[in-house]
Amino acid sequence: MKGIIYILTGLVVLGLLACEETVTLDTKQIDPQIVIEGLVTDETKSHYVRVTRSVGFYDFGRARGVADAVVTVSDNEGNVFNYVHNPGDMPESDGYYYAETPFAGEVGNTYTLTVIVGGETYTGSDVLQPVTAIDSLSVRIDEDEFEDPEDVGYYHEVLFYAKEPKDRKDYYLFKFYRNDSIILDQENDIYFANDEVLGENIDGIPIAGFYKNGDVARVEMYSITRQGYVYYNDLFNILNNDGGMFSPPPANPRTNLSNDALGFFQVSAMVSKSIVIE
């Protein structure tokens, strides 16, 4: 029997070798594309829009910021908000545009982003959906992490609680912070969900990371539209594609932006809650 297995294994290997074929990759570079990331929330603040150009596969460094765009956001009530590039003249804010006048988005309104670069116009629209409140946060010790912590002293986990309204279809994006620094369990994690996954009660769901005494943990919960849910789902799949034989070929995430721009213009209601680890 063992001899039969060896023979069969050899036949499989020979079959694979016989199918070997030289493949020449097409490494032709395409022109850089405009990438736009924007966020409007129901907070009164100078909301941002980031405009960059995509970089080639063999290029290194950050995406190149676009400093000469004309950026505006308007709503369905006729309000128009002008944005200015990098008002603080900070190197790390290259490509970032901020609203000249702080404003708050309103639930139910539609917001339209317009970006003009080099004579080309790019637009995107999104609706500001309501978000449910975060009832509370709690802290408990993770016994496994306590016994063998990855980082000394970091063995507390934070749970959050909320009630999910059942009278509408909801989609959410979550961000988790430790001492004002965003925290992820894995480098390519994106935390998003729909109300079918969450159920009627968000009852003690652990957030990302572990915490030590004295840390401040914060949860931010954003409403997103179905378009936003689809975008983040596509982005998550691209970031976590292992490139294996059975993985689908990569494709740009579906977006709400026109004229072949990459990225997404997000409009959200946002709630947050913090807790000190004790």
Side-chain angles (χ1 to χ4, degrees):
M1 178 64 71
K2 187 181 294 185
I4 293 173
I5 293 173
Y6 287 155
I7 291 171
L8 290 175
T9 303
L11 290 175
V12 171
V13 172
L14 288 173
L16 290 174
L17 291 175
C19 294
E20 184 176 336
E21 181 180 348
T22 300
V23 177
T24 303
L25 296 177
D26 181 5
T27 58
K28 181 176 63 175
Q29 299 291 302
I30 64 172
D31 293 333
Q33 289 179 266
I34 291 295
V35 183
I36 300 170
E37 306 161 59
L39 176 63
V40 169
T41 71
D42 57 349
E43 304 169 278
T44 301
K45 60 189 298 184
S46 291
H47 304 287
Y48 81 90
V49 172
R50 186 185 184 210
V51 185
T52 59
R53 286 187 173 87
S54 61
V55 296
F57 183 80
Y58 297 105
D59 293 338
F60 296 96
R62 295 181 57 185
R64 298 183 293 274
V66 175
D68 59 351
V70 177
V71 178
T72 59
V73 169
S74 58
D75 65 18
N76 55 291
E77 296 182 346
N79 299 303
V80 178
F81 307 97
N82 297 313
Y83 282 58
V84 293
H85 179 257
N86 192 3
D89 198 26
M90 305 292 289
E92 62 272 19
S93 294
D94 183 41
Y96 281 88
Y97 295 76
Y98 294 92
E100 281 186 315
T101 304
F103 70 97
E106 295 186 18
V107 171
N109 279 4
T110 299
Y111 292 84
T112 299
L113 169 68
T114 302
V115 176
I116 303 174
V117 180
E120 294 287 337
T121 300
Y122 308 87
T123 62
S125 295
D126 207 21
V127 179
L128 203 154
Q129 301 287 354
V131 66
T132 190
I134 300 173
D135 288 343
S136 62
L137 303 177
S138 68
V139 179
R140 73 180 179 191
I141 292 175
D142 183 283
E143 297 296 340
D144 292 336
E145 204 68 22
F146 180 78
E147 293 293 334
D148 184 23
E150 184 174 341
D151 295 310
V152 176
Y154 290 86
Y155 48 79
H156 296 87
E157 64 178 355
V158 175
L159 312 178
F160 86 97
Y161 302 80
K163 293 190 182 301
E164 214 296 306
K166 295 283 94 179
D167 59 346
R168 62 178 187 258
K169 185 72 174 176
D170 294 310
Y171 304 89
Y172 300 106
L173 177 72
F174 302 92
K175 295 181 182 179
F176 307 123
Y177 295 83
R178 183 169 62 200
N179 301 329
D180 292 329
S181 295
I182 197 161
I183 186 168
L184 307 171
D185 281 330
Q186 302 293 330
E187 182 180 6
N188 292 330
D189 278 353
I190 303 173
Y191 302 104
F192 61 100
N194 59 33
D195 50 14
E196 292 180 1
V197 172
L198 295 175
E200 185 173 350
N201 292 313
I202 303 173
D203 191 15
I205 296 178
I207 72 172
F210 293 101
Y211 302 79
K212 65 177 177 61
N213 281 321
D215 280 344
V216 177
R218 185 170 88 254
V219 175
E220 293 181 350
M221 187 173 182
Y222 296 79
S223 66
I224 54 175
T225 56
R226 173 165 173 75
Q227 273 189 307
Y229 179 85
V230 168
Y231 170 78
Y232 285 112
N233 186 66
D234 287 352
L235 184 60
F236 178 85
N237 289 333
I238 291 170
L239 293 174
N240 293 279
N241 186 327
D242 63 8
M245 181 182 298
F246 301 105
S247 297
N252 292 325
R254 286 167 283 183
T255 180
N256 60 356
L257 299 169
S258 69
N259 203 8
D260 293 327
L262 305 177
F264 195 79
F265 175 53
Q266 177 184 326
V267 176
S268 301
M270 191 276 282
V271 292
S272 68
K273 191 170 284 291
S274 301
I275 190 171
V276 179
I277 310 303
E278 296 179 330

